[in-house]
mmCIF file with all atom_site columns, all heavy atoms in Angstrom:
data_model
loop_
_atom_site.group_PDB
_atom_site.id
_atom_site.type_symbol
_atom_site.label_atom_id
_atom_site.label_alt_id
_atom_site.label_comp_id
_atom_site.label_asym_id
_atom_site.label_entity_id
_atom_site.label_seq_id
_atom_site.pdbx_PDB_ins_code
_atom_site.Cartn_x
_atom_site.Cartn_y
_atom_site.Cartn_z
_atom_site.occupancy
_atom_site.B_iso_or_equiv
_atom_site.pdbx_formal_charge
_atom_site.auth_seq_id
_atom_site.auth_comp_id
_atom_site.auth_asym_id
_atom_site.auth_atom_id
_atom_site.pdbx_PDB_model_num
ATOM 1   N N   . ASP A 1 1  ? 27.601 -18.345 -60.148 1.00 98.00 ? 1  ASP A N   1
ATOM 2   C CA  . ASP A 1 1  ? 28.994 -18.035 -60.405 1.00 98.00 ? 1  ASP A CA  1
ATOM 3   C C   . ASP A 1 1  ? 29.703 -19.386 -60.352 1.00 98.00 ? 1  ASP A C   1
ATOM 4   O O   . ASP A 1 1  ? 29.146 -20.505 -60.233 1.00 98.00 ? 1  ASP A O   1
ATOM 5   C CB  . ASP A 1 1  ? 29.596 -17.073 -59.398 1.00 98.00 ? 1  ASP A CB  1
ATOM 6   C CG  . ASP A 1 1  ? 29.548 -17.518 -58.006 1.00 98.00 ? 1  ASP A CG  1
ATOM 7   O OD1 . ASP A 1 1  ? 29.254 -18.659 -57.760 1.00 98.00 ? 1  ASP A OD1 1
ATOM 8   O OD2 . ASP A 1 1  ? 30.010 -16.707 -57.187 1.00 98.00 ? 1  ASP A OD2 1
ATOM 9   N N   . VAL A 1 2  ? 31.018 -19.344 -60.218 1.00 97.00 ? 2  VAL A N   1
ATOM 10  C CA  . VAL A 1 2  ? 31.861 -20.540 -60.312 1.00 97.00 ? 2  VAL A CA  1
ATOM 11  C C   . VAL A 1 2  ? 31.581 -21.512 -58.958 1.00 97.00 ? 2  VAL A C   1
ATOM 12  O O   . VAL A 1 2  ? 31.798 -22.704 -59.165 1.00 97.00 ? 2  VAL A O   1
ATOM 13  C CB  . VAL A 1 2  ? 33.317 -20.152 -60.396 1.00 97.00 ? 2  VAL A CB  1
ATOM 14  C CG1 . VAL A 1 2  ? 33.838 -19.384 -59.138 1.00 97.00 ? 2  VAL A CG1 1
ATOM 15  C CG2 . VAL A 1 2  ? 34.210 -21.432 -60.562 1.00 97.00 ? 2  VAL A CG2 1
ATOM 16  N N   . ASN A 1 3  ? 31.156 -20.802 -57.885 1.00 96.00 ? 3  ASN A N   1
ATOM 17  C CA  . ASN A 1 3  ? 30.783 -21.506 -56.603 1.00 96.00 ? 3  ASN A CA  1
ATOM 18  C C   . ASN A 1 3  ? 29.458 -21.968 -56.613 1.00 96.00 ? 3  ASN A C   1
ATOM 19  O O   . ASN A 1 3  ? 29.001 -22.635 -55.587 1.00 96.00 ? 3  ASN A O   1
ATOM 20  C CB  . ASN A 1 3  ? 31.150 -20.636 -55.506 1.00 96.00 ? 3  ASN A CB  1
ATOM 21  C CG  . ASN A 1 3  ? 32.552 -20.231 -55.379 1.00 96.00 ? 3  ASN A CG  1
ATOM 22  O OD1 . ASN A 1 3  ? 33.485 -21.140 -55.554 1.00 96.00 ? 3  ASN A OD1 1
ATOM 23  N ND2 . ASN A 1 3  ? 32.818 -19.028 -55.012 1.00 96.00 ? 3  ASN A ND2 1
ATOM 24  N N   . GLY A 1 4  ? 28.612 -21.663 -57.577 1.00 97.00 ? 4  GLY A N   1
ATOM 25  C CA  . GLY A 1 4  ? 27.221 -22.013 -57.586 1.00 97.00 ? 4  GLY A CA  1
ATOM 26  C C   . GLY A 1 4  ? 26.318 -20.973 -56.947 1.00 97.00 ? 4  GLY A C   1
ATOM 27  O O   . GLY A 1 4  ? 25.124 -21.202 -56.745 1.00 97.00 ? 4  GLY A O   1
ATOM 28  N N   . ASP A 1 5  ? 26.942 -19.874 -56.506 1.00 97.00 ? 5  ASP A N   1
ATOM 29  C CA  . ASP A 1 5  ? 26.199 -18.769 -55.899 1.00 97.00 ? 5  ASP A CA  1
ATOM 30  C C   . ASP A 1 5  ? 25.539 -17.827 -56.885 1.00 97.00 ? 5  ASP A C   1
ATOM 31  O O   . ASP A 1 5  ? 26.118 -17.621 -57.911 1.00 97.00 ? 5  ASP A O   1
ATOM 32  C CB  . ASP A 1 5  ? 27.037 -17.945 -54.914 1.00 97.00 ? 5  ASP A CB  1
ATOM 33  C CG  . ASP A 1 5  ? 27.755 -18.837 -53.817 1.00 97.00 ? 5  ASP A CG  1
ATOM 34  O OD1 . ASP A 1 5  ? 27.056 -19.833 -53.325 1.00 97.00 ? 5  ASP A OD1 1
ATOM 35  O OD2 . ASP A 1 5  ? 28.930 -18.660 -53.504 1.00 97.00 ? 5  ASP A OD2 1
ATOM 36  N N   . MET A 1 6  ? 24.327 -17.363 -56.508 1.00 98.00 ? 6  MET A N   1
ATOM 37  C CA  . MET A 1 6  ? 23.646 -16.594 -57.507 1.00 98.00 ? 6  MET A CA  1
ATOM 38  C C   . MET A 1 6  ? 23.836 -15.136 -57.506 1.00 98.00 ? 6  MET A C   1
ATOM 39  O O   . MET A 1 6  ? 23.867 -14.550 -58.617 1.00 98.00 ? 6  MET A O   1
ATOM 40  C CB  . MET A 1 6  ? 22.111 -16.827 -57.300 1.00 98.00 ? 6  MET A CB  1
ATOM 41  C CG  . MET A 1 6  ? 21.744 -18.319 -57.404 1.00 98.00 ? 6  MET A CG  1
ATOM 42  S SD  . MET A 1 6  ? 22.062 -19.049 -59.001 1.00 98.00 ? 6  MET A SD  1
ATOM 43  C CE  . MET A 1 6  ? 21.654 -20.787 -58.704 1.00 98.00 ? 6  MET A CE  1
ATOM 44  N N   . ALA A 1 7  ? 24.106 -14.608 -56.351 1.00 98.00 ? 7  ALA A N   1
ATOM 45  C CA  . ALA A 1 7  ? 24.460 -13.145 -56.218 1.00 98.00 ? 7  ALA A CA  1
ATOM 46  C C   . ALA A 1 7  ? 25.008 -12.885 -54.887 1.00 98.00 ? 7  ALA A C   1
ATOM 47  O O   . ALA A 1 7  ? 24.584 -13.287 -53.888 1.00 98.00 ? 7  ALA A O   1
ATOM 48  C CB  . ALA A 1 7  ? 23.214 -12.280 -56.570 1.00 98.00 ? 7  ALA A CB  1
ATOM 49  N N   . TYR A 1 8  ? 25.980 -11.882 -54.877 1.00 98.00 ? 8  TYR A N   1
ATOM 50  C CA  . TYR A 1 8  ? 26.586 -11.308 -53.647 1.00 98.00 ? 8  TYR A CA  1
ATOM 51  C C   . TYR A 1 8  ? 26.007 -9.963  -53.388 1.00 98.00 ? 8  TYR A C   1
ATOM 52  O O   . TYR A 1 8  ? 26.145 -9.100  -54.233 1.00 98.00 ? 8  TYR A O   1
ATOM 53  C CB  . TYR A 1 8  ? 28.083 -11.299 -53.714 1.00 98.00 ? 8  TYR A CB  1
ATOM 54  C CG  . TYR A 1 8  ? 28.739 -12.774 -53.794 1.00 98.00 ? 8  TYR A CG  1
ATOM 55  C CD1 . TYR A 1 8  ? 28.668 -13.534 -54.751 1.00 98.00 ? 8  TYR A CD1 1
ATOM 56  C CD2 . TYR A 1 8  ? 29.327 -13.175 -52.571 1.00 98.00 ? 8  TYR A CD2 1
ATOM 57  C CE1 . TYR A 1 8  ? 29.298 -14.755 -54.862 1.00 98.00 ? 8  TYR A CE1 1
ATOM 58  C CE2 . TYR A 1 8  ? 29.885 -14.488 -52.489 1.00 98.00 ? 8  TYR A CE2 1
ATOM 59  C CZ  . TYR A 1 8  ? 29.837 -15.278 -53.671 1.00 98.00 ? 8  TYR A CZ  1
ATOM 60  O OH  . TYR A 1 8  ? 30.466 -16.522 -53.593 1.00 98.00 ? 8  TYR A OH  1
ATOM 61  N N   . MET A 1 9  ? 25.325 -9.842  -52.318 1.00 97.00 ? 9  MET A N   1
ATOM 62  C CA  . MET A 1 9  ? 24.657 -8.641  -52.018 1.00 97.00 ? 9  MET A CA  1
ATOM 63  C C   . MET A 1 9  ? 25.234 -7.712  -50.768 1.00 97.00 ? 9  MET A C   1
ATOM 64  O O   . MET A 1 9  ? 25.738 -8.320  -49.869 1.00 97.00 ? 9  MET A O   1
ATOM 65  C CB  . MET A 1 9  ? 23.140 -8.969  -51.710 1.00 97.00 ? 9  MET A CB  1
ATOM 66  C CG  . MET A 1 9  ? 22.466 -9.885  -52.627 1.00 97.00 ? 9  MET A CG  1
ATOM 67  S SD  . MET A 1 9  ? 22.235 -9.155  -54.286 1.00 97.00 ? 9  MET A SD  1
ATOM 68  C CE  . MET A 1 9  ? 20.798 -8.141  -54.092 1.00 97.00 ? 9  MET A CE  1
ATOM 69  N N   . GLN A 1 10 ? 25.095 -6.474  -50.850 1.00 97.00 ? 10 GLN A N   1
ATOM 70  C CA  . GLN A 1 10 ? 25.531 -5.609  -49.871 1.00 97.00 ? 10 GLN A CA  1
ATOM 71  C C   . GLN A 1 10 ? 24.548 -4.446  -49.729 1.00 97.00 ? 10 GLN A C   1
ATOM 72  O O   . GLN A 1 10 ? 24.326 -3.599  -50.789 1.00 97.00 ? 10 GLN A O   1
ATOM 73  C CB  . GLN A 1 10 ? 26.992 -4.912  -50.167 1.00 97.00 ? 10 GLN A CB  1
ATOM 74  C CG  . GLN A 1 10 ? 27.300 -4.013  -49.031 1.00 97.00 ? 10 GLN A CG  1
ATOM 75  C CD  . GLN A 1 10 ? 28.633 -3.348  -49.304 1.00 97.00 ? 10 GLN A CD  1
ATOM 76  O OE1 . GLN A 1 10 ? 29.404 -3.735  -50.225 1.00 97.00 ? 10 GLN A OE1 1
ATOM 77  N NE2 . GLN A 1 10 ? 29.007 -2.213  -48.595 1.00 97.00 ? 10 GLN A NE2 1
ATOM 78  N N   . ALA A 1 11 ? 23.723 -4.500  -48.674 1.00 97.00 ? 11 ALA A N   1
ATOM 79  C CA  . ALA A 1 11 ? 22.697 -3.421  -48.440 1.00 97.00 ? 11 ALA A CA  1
ATOM 80  C C   . ALA A 1 11 ? 23.381 -1.944  -48.226 1.00 97.00 ? 11 ALA A C   1
ATOM 81  O O   . ALA A 1 11 ? 24.422 -1.974  -47.533 1.00 97.00 ? 11 ALA A O   1
ATOM 82  C CB  . ALA A 1 11 ? 21.819 -3.814  -47.408 1.00 97.00 ? 11 ALA A CB  1
ATOM 83  N N   . PRO A 1 12 ? 22.869 -0.968  -48.653 1.00 98.00 ? 12 PRO A N   1
ATOM 84  C CA  . PRO A 1 12 ? 21.520 -0.939  -49.350 1.00 98.00 ? 12 PRO A CA  1
ATOM 85  C C   . PRO A 1 12 ? 21.742 -1.233  -50.847 1.00 98.00 ? 12 PRO A C   1
ATOM 86  O O   . PRO A 1 12 ? 22.685 -0.872  -51.450 1.00 98.00 ? 12 PRO A O   1
ATOM 87  C CB  . PRO A 1 12 ? 21.193 0.545   -49.224 1.00 98.00 ? 12 PRO A CB  1
ATOM 88  C CG  . PRO A 1 12 ? 22.495 1.278   -49.122 1.00 98.00 ? 12 PRO A CG  1
ATOM 89  C CD  . PRO A 1 12 ? 23.395 0.383   -48.324 1.00 98.00 ? 12 PRO A CD  1
ATOM 90  N N   . THR A 1 13 ? 20.817 -2.047  -51.409 1.00 98.00 ? 13 THR A N   1
ATOM 91  C CA  . THR A 1 13 ? 20.894 -2.538  -52.738 1.00 98.00 ? 13 THR A CA  1
ATOM 92  C C   . THR A 1 13 ? 19.474 -2.862  -53.130 1.00 98.00 ? 13 THR A C   1
ATOM 93  O O   . THR A 1 13 ? 18.541 -2.998  -52.422 1.00 98.00 ? 13 THR A O   1
ATOM 94  C CB  . THR A 1 13 ? 21.846 -3.758  -52.847 1.00 98.00 ? 13 THR A CB  1
ATOM 95  O OG1 . THR A 1 13 ? 22.069 -3.934  -54.257 1.00 98.00 ? 13 THR A OG1 1
ATOM 96  C CG2 . THR A 1 13 ? 21.330 -4.970  -52.068 1.00 98.00 ? 13 THR A CG2 1
ATOM 97  N N   . THR A 1 14 ? 19.402 -3.159  -54.474 1.00 98.00 ? 14 THR A N   1
ATOM 98  C CA  . THR A 1 14 ? 18.130 -3.668  -55.141 1.00 98.00 ? 14 THR A CA  1
ATOM 99  C C   . THR A 1 14 ? 18.481 -4.769  -56.138 1.00 98.00 ? 14 THR A C   1
ATOM 100 O O   . THR A 1 14 ? 19.531 -4.949  -56.558 1.00 98.00 ? 14 THR A O   1
ATOM 101 C CB  . THR A 1 14 ? 17.453 -2.547  -55.892 1.00 98.00 ? 14 THR A CB  1
ATOM 102 O OG1 . THR A 1 14 ? 18.161 -2.201  -57.086 1.00 98.00 ? 14 THR A OG1 1
ATOM 103 C CG2 . THR A 1 14 ? 17.228 -1.313  -55.058 1.00 98.00 ? 14 THR A CG2 1
ATOM 104 N N   . THR A 1 15 ? 17.532 -5.561  -56.366 1.00 98.00 ? 15 THR A N   1
ATOM 105 C CA  . THR A 1 15 ? 17.603 -6.437  -57.531 1.00 98.00 ? 15 THR A CA  1
ATOM 106 C C   . THR A 1 15 ? 17.184 -5.785  -58.759 1.00 98.00 ? 15 THR A C   1
ATOM 107 O O   . THR A 1 15 ? 16.674 -4.550  -58.794 1.00 98.00 ? 15 THR A O   1
ATOM 108 C CB  . THR A 1 15 ? 16.656 -7.802  -57.334 1.00 98.00 ? 15 THR A CB  1
ATOM 109 O OG1 . THR A 1 15 ? 15.294 -7.258  -57.395 1.00 98.00 ? 15 THR A OG1 1
ATOM 110 C CG2 . THR A 1 15 ? 16.960 -8.343  -55.951 1.00 98.00 ? 15 THR A CG2 1
ATOM 111 N N   . SER A 1 16 ? 17.273 -6.435  -59.910 1.00 98.00 ? 16 SER A N   1
ATOM 112 C CA  . SER A 1 16 ? 16.673 -5.959  -61.186 1.00 98.00 ? 16 SER A CA  1
ATOM 113 C C   . SER A 1 16 ? 15.078 -6.086  -60.986 1.00 98.00 ? 16 SER A C   1
ATOM 114 O O   . SER A 1 16 ? 14.541 -6.761  -60.145 1.00 98.00 ? 16 SER A O   1
ATOM 115 C CB  . SER A 1 16 ? 17.131 -6.747  -62.385 1.00 98.00 ? 16 SER A CB  1
ATOM 116 O OG  . SER A 1 16 ? 17.039 -8.141  -62.176 1.00 98.00 ? 16 SER A OG  1
ATOM 117 N N   . TRP A 1 17 ? 14.398 -5.419  -61.869 1.00 99.00 ? 17 TRP A N   1
ATOM 118 C CA  . TRP A 1 17 ? 12.881 -5.479  -61.880 1.00 99.00 ? 17 TRP A CA  1
ATOM 119 C C   . TRP A 1 17 ? 12.406 -6.798  -62.554 1.00 99.00 ? 17 TRP A C   1
ATOM 120 O O   . TRP A 1 17 ? 13.032 -7.182  -63.625 1.00 99.00 ? 17 TRP A O   1
ATOM 121 C CB  . TRP A 1 17 ? 12.345 -4.368  -62.592 1.00 99.00 ? 17 TRP A CB  1
ATOM 122 C CG  . TRP A 1 17 ? 12.481 -3.030  -61.981 1.00 99.00 ? 17 TRP A CG  1
ATOM 123 C CD1 . TRP A 1 17 ? 13.631 -2.134  -62.177 1.00 99.00 ? 17 TRP A CD1 1
ATOM 124 C CD2 . TRP A 1 17 ? 11.643 -2.343  -61.004 1.00 99.00 ? 17 TRP A CD2 1
ATOM 125 N NE1 . TRP A 1 17 ? 13.433 -1.023  -61.411 1.00 99.00 ? 17 TRP A NE1 1
ATOM 126 C CE2 . TRP A 1 17 ? 12.303 -1.104  -60.698 1.00 99.00 ? 17 TRP A CE2 1
ATOM 127 C CE3 . TRP A 1 17 ? 10.431 -2.646  -60.434 1.00 99.00 ? 17 TRP A CE3 1
ATOM 128 C CZ2 . TRP A 1 17 ? 11.665 -0.271  -59.858 1.00 99.00 ? 17 TRP A CZ2 1
ATOM 129 C CZ3 . TRP A 1 17 ? 9.985  -1.797  -59.560 1.00 99.00 ? 17 TRP A CZ3 1
ATOM 130 C CH2 . TRP A 1 17 ? 10.546 -0.582  -59.231 1.00 99.00 ? 17 TRP A CH2 1
ATOM 131 N N   . ARG A 1 18 ? 11.421 -7.456  -62.029 1.00 98.00 ? 18 ARG A N   1
ATOM 132 C CA  . ARG A 1 18 ? 10.693 -8.518  -62.874 1.00 98.00 ? 18 ARG A CA  1
ATOM 133 C C   . ARG A 1 18 ? 9.607  -7.874  -63.516 1.00 98.00 ? 18 ARG A C   1
ATOM 134 O O   . ARG A 1 18 ? 8.773  -7.079  -62.857 1.00 98.00 ? 18 ARG A O   1
ATOM 135 C CB  . ARG A 1 18 ? 10.238 -9.559  -61.881 1.00 98.00 ? 18 ARG A CB  1
ATOM 136 C CG  . ARG A 1 18 ? 11.355 -10.501 -61.486 1.00 98.00 ? 18 ARG A CG  1
ATOM 137 C CD  . ARG A 1 18 ? 12.405 -9.826  -60.623 1.00 98.00 ? 18 ARG A CD  1
ATOM 138 N NE  . ARG A 1 18 ? 13.657 -10.746 -60.450 1.00 98.00 ? 18 ARG A NE  1
ATOM 139 C CZ  . ARG A 1 18 ? 14.733 -10.756 -61.166 1.00 98.00 ? 18 ARG A CZ  1
ATOM 140 N NH1 . ARG A 1 18 ? 14.766 -9.865  -62.286 1.00 98.00 ? 18 ARG A NH1 1
ATOM 141 N NH2 . ARG A 1 18 ? 15.659 -11.624 -61.043 1.00 98.00 ? 18 ARG A NH2 1
ATOM 142 N N   . THR A 1 19 ? 9.329  -8.193  -64.761 1.00 98.00 ? 19 THR A N   1
ATOM 143 C CA  . THR A 1 19 ? 8.314  -7.467  -65.603 1.00 98.00 ? 19 THR A CA  1
ATOM 144 C C   . THR A 1 19 ? 7.320  -8.444  -66.163 1.00 98.00 ? 19 THR A C   1
ATOM 145 O O   . THR A 1 19 ? 7.676  -9.562  -66.633 1.00 98.00 ? 19 THR A O   1
ATOM 146 C CB  . THR A 1 19 ? 8.870  -6.613  -66.720 1.00 98.00 ? 19 THR A CB  1
ATOM 147 O OG1 . THR A 1 19 ? 9.596  -7.511  -67.701 1.00 98.00 ? 19 THR A OG1 1
ATOM 148 C CG2 . THR A 1 19 ? 9.915  -5.534  -66.170 1.00 98.00 ? 19 THR A CG2 1
ATOM 149 N N   . ILE A 1 20 ? 6.071  -8.058  -66.229 1.00 99.00 ? 20 ILE A N   1
ATOM 150 C CA  . ILE A 1 20 ? 5.052  -8.802  -66.836 1.00 99.00 ? 20 ILE A CA  1
ATOM 151 C C   . ILE A 1 20 ? 4.220  -7.748  -67.672 1.00 99.00 ? 20 ILE A C   1
ATOM 152 O O   . ILE A 1 20 ? 3.567  -6.879  -67.178 1.00 99.00 ? 20 ILE A O   1
ATOM 153 C CB  . ILE A 1 20 ? 4.019  -9.343  -65.703 1.00 99.00 ? 20 ILE A CB  1
ATOM 154 C CG1 . ILE A 1 20 ? 4.841  -10.254 -64.803 1.00 99.00 ? 20 ILE A CG1 1
ATOM 155 C CG2 . ILE A 1 20 ? 3.001  -10.205 -66.443 1.00 99.00 ? 20 ILE A CG2 1
ATOM 156 C CD1 . ILE A 1 20 ? 4.196  -10.560 -63.423 1.00 99.00 ? 20 ILE A CD1 1
ATOM 157 N N   . ILE A 1 21 ? 4.220  -7.973  -68.927 1.00 99.00 ? 21 ILE A N   1
ATOM 158 C CA  . ILE A 1 21 ? 3.482  -7.159  -69.910 1.00 99.00 ? 21 ILE A CA  1
ATOM 159 C C   . ILE A 1 21 ? 2.266  -8.040  -70.502 1.00 99.00 ? 21 ILE A C   1
ATOM 160 O O   . ILE A 1 21 ? 2.538  -9.198  -70.781 1.00 99.00 ? 21 ILE A O   1
ATOM 161 C CB  . ILE A 1 21 ? 4.391  -6.627  -71.047 1.00 99.00 ? 21 ILE A CB  1
ATOM 162 C CG1 . ILE A 1 21 ? 5.588  -5.914  -70.597 1.00 99.00 ? 21 ILE A CG1 1
ATOM 163 C CG2 . ILE A 1 21 ? 3.626  -5.700  -72.029 1.00 99.00 ? 21 ILE A CG2 1
ATOM 164 C CD1 . ILE A 1 21 ? 6.591  -5.509  -71.610 1.00 99.00 ? 21 ILE A CD1 1
ATOM 165 N N   . ALA A 1 22 ? 1.199  -7.572  -70.487 1.00 98.00 ? 22 ALA A N   1
ATOM 166 C CA  . ALA A 1 22 ? 0.069  -8.308  -70.987 1.00 98.00 ? 22 ALA A CA  1
ATOM 167 C C   . ALA A 1 22 ? -0.935 -7.381  -71.708 1.00 98.00 ? 22 ALA A C   1
ATOM 168 O O   . ALA A 1 22 ? -1.242 -6.275  -71.465 1.00 98.00 ? 22 ALA A O   1
ATOM 169 C CB  . ALA A 1 22 ? -0.600 -8.991  -69.794 1.00 98.00 ? 22 ALA A CB  1
ATOM 170 N N   . SER A 1 23 ? -1.537 -8.053  -72.754 1.00 98.00 ? 23 SER A N   1
ATOM 171 C CA  . SER A 1 23 ? -2.608 -7.423  -73.553 1.00 98.00 ? 23 SER A CA  1
ATOM 172 C C   . SER A 1 23 ? -3.365 -8.351  -74.394 1.00 98.00 ? 23 SER A C   1
ATOM 173 O O   . SER A 1 23 ? -2.855 -9.436  -74.639 1.00 98.00 ? 23 SER A O   1
ATOM 174 C CB  . SER A 1 23 ? -2.038 -6.217  -74.448 1.00 98.00 ? 23 SER A CB  1
ATOM 175 O OG  . SER A 1 23 ? -3.022 -5.740  -75.221 1.00 98.00 ? 23 SER A OG  1
ATOM 176 N N   . LYS A 1 24 ? -4.550 -8.023  -74.751 1.00 98.00 ? 24 LYS A N   1
ATOM 177 C CA  . LYS A 1 24 ? -5.350 -8.824  -75.733 1.00 98.00 ? 24 LYS A CA  1
ATOM 178 C C   . LYS A 1 24 ? -4.897 -8.461  -77.135 1.00 98.00 ? 24 LYS A C   1
ATOM 179 O O   . LYS A 1 24 ? -5.298 -9.244  -78.084 1.00 98.00 ? 24 LYS A O   1
ATOM 180 C CB  . LYS A 1 24 ? -6.803 -8.444  -75.591 1.00 98.00 ? 24 LYS A CB  1
ATOM 181 C CG  . LYS A 1 24 ? -7.588 -9.191  -74.510 1.00 98.00 ? 24 LYS A CG  1
ATOM 182 C CD  . LYS A 1 24 ? -7.810 -10.616 -74.710 1.00 98.00 ? 24 LYS A CD  1
ATOM 183 C CE  . LYS A 1 24 ? -8.712 -11.267 -73.681 1.00 98.00 ? 24 LYS A CE  1
ATOM 184 N NZ  . LYS A 1 24 ? -9.007 -12.667 -73.959 1.00 98.00 ? 24 LYS A NZ  1
ATOM 185 N N   . ASN A 1 25 ? -4.133 -7.418  -77.310 1.00 98.00 ? 25 ASN A N   1
ATOM 186 C CA  . ASN A 1 25 ? -3.531 -7.242  -78.656 1.00 98.00 ? 25 ASN A CA  1
ATOM 187 C C   . ASN A 1 25 ? -2.035 -7.457  -78.668 1.00 98.00 ? 25 ASN A C   1
ATOM 188 O O   . ASN A 1 25 ? -1.310 -6.847  -77.873 1.00 98.00 ? 25 ASN A O   1
ATOM 189 C CB  . ASN A 1 25 ? -3.842 -5.678  -79.069 1.00 98.00 ? 25 ASN A CB  1
ATOM 190 C CG  . ASN A 1 25 ? -5.327 -5.402  -79.040 1.00 98.00 ? 25 ASN A CG  1
ATOM 191 O OD1 . ASN A 1 25 ? -6.050 -6.162  -79.745 1.00 98.00 ? 25 ASN A OD1 1
ATOM 192 N ND2 . ASN A 1 25 ? -5.661 -4.396  -78.353 1.00 98.00 ? 25 ASN A ND2 1
ATOM 193 N N   . ALA A 1 26 ? -1.627 -8.168  -79.621 1.00 98.00 ? 26 ALA A N   1
ATOM 194 C CA  . ALA A 1 26 ? -0.177 -8.501  -79.738 1.00 98.00 ? 26 ALA A CA  1
ATOM 195 C C   . ALA A 1 26 ? 0.605  -7.207  -80.025 1.00 98.00 ? 26 ALA A C   1
ATOM 196 O O   . ALA A 1 26 ? 1.759  -7.223  -79.576 1.00 98.00 ? 26 ALA A O   1
ATOM 197 C CB  . ALA A 1 26 ? 0.058  -9.551  -80.829 1.00 98.00 ? 26 ALA A CB  1
ATOM 198 N N   . THR A 1 27 ? 0.082  -6.321  -80.741 1.00 98.00 ? 27 THR A N   1
ATOM 199 C CA  . THR A 1 27 ? 0.827  -5.094  -81.026 1.00 98.00 ? 27 THR A CA  1
ATOM 200 C C   . THR A 1 27 ? 1.214  -4.295  -79.767 1.00 98.00 ? 27 THR A C   1
ATOM 201 O O   . THR A 1 27 ? 2.032  -3.574  -79.871 1.00 98.00 ? 27 THR A O   1
ATOM 202 C CB  . THR A 1 27 ? 0.028  -4.214  -82.105 1.00 98.00 ? 27 THR A CB  1
ATOM 203 O OG1 . THR A 1 27 ? -1.329 -4.028  -81.563 1.00 98.00 ? 27 THR A OG1 1
ATOM 204 C CG2 . THR A 1 27 ? -0.032 -4.885  -83.405 1.00 98.00 ? 27 THR A CG2 1
ATOM 205 N N   . ASP A 1 28 ? 0.305  -4.354  -78.720 1.00 98.00 ? 28 ASP A N   1
ATOM 206 C CA  . ASP A 1 28 ? 0.580  -3.582  -77.536 1.00 98.00 ? 28 ASP A CA  1
ATOM 207 C C   . ASP A 1 28 ? 1.854  -4.145  -76.856 1.00 98.00 ? 28 ASP A C   1
ATOM 208 O O   . ASP A 1 28 ? 2.572  -3.483  -76.196 1.00 98.00 ? 28 ASP A O   1
ATOM 209 C CB  . ASP A 1 28 ? -0.625 -3.784  -76.548 1.00 98.00 ? 28 ASP A CB  1
ATOM 210 C CG  . ASP A 1 28 ? -1.836 -2.966  -76.988 1.00 98.00 ? 28 ASP A CG  1
ATOM 211 O OD1 . ASP A 1 28 ? -1.669 -2.184  -77.912 1.00 98.00 ? 28 ASP A OD1 1
ATOM 212 O OD2 . ASP A 1 28 ? -2.949 -3.365  -76.468 1.00 98.00 ? 28 ASP A OD2 1
ATOM 213 N N   . ILE A 1 29 ? 2.163  -5.397  -77.040 1.00 98.00 ? 29 ILE A N   1
ATOM 214 C CA  . ILE A 1 29 ? 3.431  -5.965  -76.512 1.00 98.00 ? 29 ILE A CA  1
ATOM 215 C C   . ILE A 1 29 ? 4.622  -5.285  -77.158 1.00 98.00 ? 29 ILE A C   1
ATOM 216 O O   . ILE A 1 29 ? 5.547  -4.860  -76.477 1.00 98.00 ? 29 ILE A O   1
ATOM 217 C CB  . ILE A 1 29 ? 3.499  -7.393  -76.651 1.00 98.00 ? 29 ILE A CB  1
ATOM 218 C CG1 . ILE A 1 29 ? 2.275  -8.186  -76.054 1.00 98.00 ? 29 ILE A CG1 1
ATOM 219 C CG2 . ILE A 1 29 ? 4.814  -7.992  -75.960 1.00 98.00 ? 29 ILE A CG2 1
ATOM 220 C CD1 . ILE A 1 29 ? 2.098  -7.955  -74.566 1.00 98.00 ? 29 ILE A CD1 1
ATOM 221 N N   . LEU A 1 30 ? 4.616  -5.077  -78.398 1.00 98.00 ? 30 LEU A N   1
ATOM 222 C CA  . LEU A 1 30 ? 5.560  -4.441  -79.242 1.00 98.00 ? 30 LEU A CA  1
ATOM 223 C C   . LEU A 1 30 ? 5.745  -3.026  -78.914 1.00 98.00 ? 30 LEU A C   1
ATOM 224 O O   . LEU A 1 30 ? 6.866  -2.377  -78.942 1.00 98.00 ? 30 LEU A O   1
ATOM 225 C CB  . LEU A 1 30 ? 5.399  -4.679  -80.747 1.00 98.00 ? 30 LEU A CB  1
ATOM 226 C CG  . LEU A 1 30 ? 5.287  -6.122  -81.208 1.00 98.00 ? 30 LEU A CG  1
ATOM 227 C CD1 . LEU A 1 30 ? 4.905  -6.136  -82.748 1.00 98.00 ? 30 LEU A CD1 1
ATOM 228 C CD2 . LEU A 1 30 ? 6.506  -6.933  -81.030 1.00 98.00 ? 30 LEU A CD2 1
ATOM 229 N N   . ALA A 1 31 ? 4.584  -2.389  -78.564 1.00 98.00 ? 31 ALA A N   1
ATOM 230 C CA  . ALA A 1 31 ? 4.593  -0.953  -78.284 1.00 98.00 ? 31 ALA A CA  1
ATOM 231 C C   . ALA A 1 31 ? 4.983  -0.626  -76.843 1.00 98.00 ? 31 ALA A C   1
ATOM 232 O O   . ALA A 1 31 ? 5.223  0.598   -76.540 1.00 98.00 ? 31 ALA A O   1
ATOM 233 C CB  . ALA A 1 31 ? 3.273  -0.404  -78.631 1.00 98.00 ? 31 ALA A CB  1
#
């Protein structure tokens, strides 16, 4: 933000999910 802070938190709370999709087939990423 304008102060250089990344996020203001108040419990109970969650972050967004971090996702890793992987496959030997490129079409699986699209699907």
Side-chain angles (χ1 to χ4, degrees):
D1 69 0
V2 64
N3 297 319
D5 300 323
M6 301 302 172
Y8 289 76
M9 310 293 281
Q10 178 186 345
T13 189
T14 68
T15 68
S16 48
W17 295 88
R18 280 68 190 94
T19 64
I20 304 161
I21 304 170
S23 177
K24 282 284 189 176
N25 298 309
T27 52
D28 290 343
I29 307 297
L30 301 177

